[in-house]
């Protein structure tokens, strides 16, 4: 049985990834420090003998847990705060040093582990490496437009460093590593308190509170349902011959935030109003992945429509709020 390490395995995307890997009969080691991950996301796996949890912070030296990290075949490195919301305790704005450390020192340690174990390695990067992009859609060869010292830089530059060190290990040590740039993903297991637009709008609509639109709402995002994002991660990891590959993973269907708010109103049947609040600093004006590379090289095609995915997400929040 092949052994897979998932860092951030109790997080939103990580928990779905663990579930999928278990369904395919992999032995799964979930590593999480529960900064933004949650025990409830992995509760269903606790009784599965192929699943184990290491509660640890990989910004600390991993020698302390070395005996639990032997003979690993695949490493998915997802651990990192990911929400930009300044009001949320779990966001990268509230955890700036942790975010820089997990993507730099944390990534370095995991690449050393991959080298030692001859594991295949996947680094979960982000569409944030494009910053506030001046081209749309964003293609992997675009270098981005990032403020190197603004508030978002801890995440943007953290992810850019993570990509750089991943490629350095490919070039210098021939580690079989790949990079995915994950675009806005939504679905069950999202935290209700991390301030992302999807969870905010759904919860506000369900609680009959006005939807908080930042800026004029003319900025765009392209939303991917979590099962499609997980399928992208799986294809990136398990397709042979992709060493050093960099892939946008997301859904290219683009909406303005205002269109998105209107859709949430429709799908929840809520009559709430919109309130307009300040746009956060360096908030990207447009974001839409060009996924031709993943399509051509991995056969990646997202299949869940926004309406379908949002219905499932609304159902999830309906039960949990
Ligand atoms: N946003 C909004 N209202 C909210 C939360 C977010 O209008 O209550 C906007 C935010 O300014 C951004 C977009 O929605 O333009 C997506 O924000 P999110 O925090 O989900 O992630 P991002 O794509 O910025 O990383």
């Amino acid at each position: 049985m092949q052994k897979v390490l998932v860092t951030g395995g109790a997080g939103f995307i990580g928990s779905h990834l663990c579930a999928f890997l278990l369904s395919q009969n992999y032995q799964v080691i979930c590593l999480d420090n529960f900064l933004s991950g949650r025990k409830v996301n992995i509760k269903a796996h606790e009784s599965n003998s192929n699943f184990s949890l290491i509660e640890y912070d990989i910004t600390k030296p991993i020698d302390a847990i070395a005996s639990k990290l032997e003979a690993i075949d695949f490493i998915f490195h997802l651990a990192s705060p990911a929400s930009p919301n300044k009001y949320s305790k779990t966001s990268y704005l509230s955890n700036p040093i942790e975010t820089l450390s997990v993507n730099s020192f944390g990534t370095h340690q995991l690449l050393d582990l991959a080298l030692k174990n001859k594991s295949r390695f996947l680094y979960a990067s982000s569409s944030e490496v494009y910053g506030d992009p001046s081209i749309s859609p964003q293609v992997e060869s675009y270098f981005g437009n990032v403020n190197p010292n603004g508030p978002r830089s801890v995440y943007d530059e953290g992810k850019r460093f993570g990509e750089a060190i991943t490629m350095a290990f490919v070039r210098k040590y021939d580690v079989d590593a790949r990079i995915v740039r994950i675009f806005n993903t939504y679905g069950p297991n999202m935290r209700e308190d991390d301030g992302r637009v999807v969870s905010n709008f759904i919860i506000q609509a369900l609680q009959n509170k006005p939807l908080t639109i930042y800026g004029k709402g003319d900025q765009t995002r392209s939303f991917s349902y979590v099962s499609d994002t997980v399928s992208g991660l799986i294809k990136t990891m398990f397709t042979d011959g992709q060493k050093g590959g960099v892939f946008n993973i997301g859904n290219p269907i683009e909406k303005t935030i205002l269109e998105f708010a209107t859709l949430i109103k429709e799908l929840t049947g809520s009559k709430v109003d919109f309130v307009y609040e300040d746009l956060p600093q360096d908030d990207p004006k447009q974001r839409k992945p060009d996924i031709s590379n993943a399509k051509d090289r991995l056969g990646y095609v997202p299949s869940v429509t926004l309406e379908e995915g949002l219905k499932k997400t609304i159902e999830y929040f309906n039960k949990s709020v």
Side-chain angles (χ1 to χ4, degrees), residues 84 152 184 196-197 200-201 212 214 219 221 257 283 287:
R152 288 177 94 104
N184 293 67
R196 311 302 286 268
V197 71
N200 271 10
F201 283 2
T212 50
Y214 299 163
Q219 70 273 37
R221 293 293 185 273
I257 292 305
D283 196 283
R287 199 184 274 156

Side-chain angles (χ1 to χ4, degrees), residues 82-85 92 126-128 152 155 184 190 194-201 204 211-215 217 219-221 223 257-258 260 275 277-280 283-285 287:
S83 164
N85 194 290
Y92 58 73
S126 163
S127 51
E128 279 286 328
R152 288 177 94 104
Y155 190 64
N184 293 67
M190 292 186 91
D194 83 352
R196 311 302 286 268
V197 71
V198 178
S199 45
N200 271 10
F201 283 2
Q204 288 161 350
L211 307 194
T212 50
I213 293 178
Y214 299 163
Q219 70 273 37
T220 69
R221 293 293 185 273
F223 297 99
I257 292 305
L258 209 49
F260 186 67
V275 284
E277 298 186 359
D278 289 344
L279 191 66
D283 196 283
K285 278 182 243 1
R287 199 184 274 156

Side-chain angles (χ1 to χ4, degrees), residues 173-280:
Y173 299 119
D174 206 30
V175 169
D176 187 355
R178 296 106 195 271
I179 293 169
V180 289
R181 294 180 177 156
I182 300 175
F183 282 66
N184 293 67
T185 297
Y186 69 97
N189 295 4
M190 292 186 91
R191 294 184 71 107
E192 53 269 17
D193 60 355
D194 83 352
R196 311 302 286 268
V197 71
V198 178
S199 45
N200 271 10
F201 283 2
I202 294 178
I203 291 163
Q204 288 161 350
L206 293 176
Q207 296 180 341
N208 275 312
K209 293 182 180 151
L211 307 194
T212 50
I213 293 178
Y214 299 163
K216 295 197 194 98
D218 55 357
Q219 70 273 37
T220 69
R221 293 293 185 273
S222 307
F223 297 99
S224 170
Y225 188 64
V226 64
S227 58
D228 280 334
T229 297
V230 166
S231 121
L233 298 180
I234 292 290
K235 283 183 191 293
T236 305
M237 180 66 104
F238 295 110
T239 305
D240 288 335
Q242 301 301 331
K243 183 169 32 185
V246 181
F247 302 96
N248 285 338
I249 294 296
N251 188 324
I253 311 268
E254 188 181 19
K255 299 269 175 221
T256 67
I257 292 305
L258 209 49
E259 285 168 343
F260 186 67
T262 308
L263 183 59
I264 297 289
K265 260 183 84 164
E266 249 171 61
L267 294 175
T268 54
S270 166
K271 304 265 180 298
V272 290
D273 294 326
F274 300 156
V275 284
Y276 292 84
E277 298 186 359
D278 289 344
L279 191 66

Side-chain angles (χ1 to χ4, degrees), residues 92-93 96 146-157 281-282:
Y92 58 73
L93 294 184
V146 172
N147 177 346
N149 52 35
R152 288 177 94 104
S153 64
V154 297
Y155 190 64
D156 302 13
E157 297 295 1
Q281 187 186 335
D282 298 332

Side-chain angles (χ1 to χ4, degrees), residues 3 5 29 52-55 64-72:
K3 223 195 239 183
L5 172 66
I29 304 172
S52 59
L53 169 68
I54 305 175
E55 187 167 347
I65 51 166
S67 62
K68 295 179 180 163
L69 299 175
E70 279 165 6
I72 290 172

